[in-house]
Amino acid sequence: MELTVFLAVLAAAAMHAGWNALLKGGGDPFDTMARISLAGGAISIAGVCFVKLPIAAAWPWLGLSLIIHAAYRYFLIAAYRAGDLTQVYPIARGTAPLLTAIGTAIILAETLPFLGYAGIAALACGVFLMSMKGSRASGFDLHAVGYALCTSVAISAYTMVDGYGARLNGSAVSFILWEMLGNSVIVALSALYVRGPSVYAGLKTEWPTALGAAVMSMTSYIIATWAMTKAPIALVAALRETGVLFAALIGAILLAEPMTRWRWSAAAIIVSGVVLLRIS
């Protein structure tokens, strides 16, 4: 993986952890997600004016991505209602690279060198170790873990779909902006159906947070999808999960979640995985 792509994906990982922290710390996750999505939709409307429509062959992949992202949002919100950021985030993001590596090898026939698989395995071990002490009580909260694992399956699925769709389209920015516009419409309709107009009642005072989270979320994913057009999807997906390090720091500093010796040990394992991915 080229150094430019490597550093860009690390920046995307930091932004991804940041918007997840805003989602977790912004009150009810459903309402917060609706507000973030509305802000993202406004940005997408402006953005699609400057890009071409996706090519015809990319539209089925775009539609499939919208369906998978809807499932992802449901499981993510449910997971954050049941568990802490430092438990849910590592499990949800940690299993996804393993699933993505298997999926890209089987479905897309995209294989990696040995060091690449070793780096993915190290990252997965590190994030699982980090999550072991992450629940609100001792041990795992089964509801939080179950929803987090479902989230990871959705992450793996949309990563492969979006990575392949962006490659097919020839432009990651065009594919993702249109995908995010579609997602914002789906979220808005769902939010209004479930909660009514009151779901946006707090937007007058909370719009800076919603806008900041939307910018981080969109920029993070555009960078990651662009990187998938330049490097193997599984490597990019794994490197993006270094966001668990940023999430752990955010959770400890801003959300008063514990940072233990277990997590520092896990951080060292994750860093070793990053090194392996860089040299693979």
Side-chain angles (χ1 to χ4, degrees):
M1 185 184 297
E2 295 181 0
L3 180 60
T4 301
V5 177
F6 179 82
L7 295 176
V9 177
L10 286 180
M15 286 185 280
H16 191 275
W19 91 261
N20 269 261
L22 290 176
L23 174 61
K24 173 63 179 175
D28 183 271
F30 184 91
D31 291 354
T32 304
M33 178 74 82
R35 294 163 189 162
I36 293 172
S37 180
L38 185 66
I43 297 171
S44 298
I45 290 173
V48 296
C49 295
F50 299 96
V51 298
K52 295 181 178 179
L53 280 168
I55 64 173
W59 281 102
W61 296 95
L62 191 60
L64 181 58
S65 176
L66 293 177
I67 295 172
I68 298 171
H69 271 87
Y72 160 73
R73 285 188 295 272
Y74 169 80
F75 290 126
L76 182 64
I77 290 170
Y80 280 147
R81 282 176 174 166
D84 289 333
L85 175 71
T86 42
Q87 179 185 33
V88 169
Y89 191 95
I91 296 174
R93 308 305 305 190
T95 53
L98 294 175
L99 296 175
T100 303
I102 294 171
T104 52
I106 296 174
I107 300 173
L108 303 180
E110 187 177 88
T111 57
L112 304 175
F114 172 77
L115 288 179
Y117 286 117
I120 291 173
L123 278 168
C125 290
V127 294
F128 272 119
L129 179 61
M130 187 173 290
S131 71
M132 285 179 65
K133 302 294 182 179
S135 62
R136 294 170 180 169
S138 59
F140 285 121
D141 181 298
L142 292 180
H143 286 92
V145 171
Y147 284 126
L149 289 174
C150 289
T151 302
S152 73
V153 173
I155 290 169
S156 177
Y158 76 61
T159 296
M160 289 186 286
V161 168
D162 288 352
Y164 184 79
R167 288 179 180 179
L168 193 64
N169 188 51
S171 169
V173 175
S174 170
F175 186 90
I176 295 304
L177 280 176
W178 282 98
E179 180 259 312
M180 288 183 170
L181 179 57
N183 273 327
S184 68
V185 173
I186 293 173
V187 173
L189 292 176
S190 301
L192 289 172
Y193 175 78
V194 174
R195 297 282 174 87
S198 63
V199 73
Y200 298 116
L203 196 57
K204 291 182 180 180
T205 57
E206 297 177 9
W207 69 265
T209 299
L211 183 61
V215 169
M216 285 192 289
S217 174
M218 295 180 69
T219 305
S220 170
Y221 201 55
I222 288 173
I223 291 173
T225 309
W226 165 80
M228 292 175 196
T229 68
K230 304 294 182 181
I233 292 174
L235 286 184
V236 175
L239 185 59
R240 191 170 178 240
E241 304 320 327
T242 55
V244 299
L245 295 176
F246 300 104
L249 292 174
I250 292 170
I253 297 171
L254 301 181
L255 303 181
E257 296 178 2
M259 188 70 184
T260 66
R261 287 179 296 177
W262 282 95
R263 292 192 184 135
W264 288 116
S265 299
I269 298 174
I270 292 171
V271 171
S272 70
V274 171
V275 173
L276 289 172
L277 291 179
R278 177 67 186 94
I279 65 177
S280 65

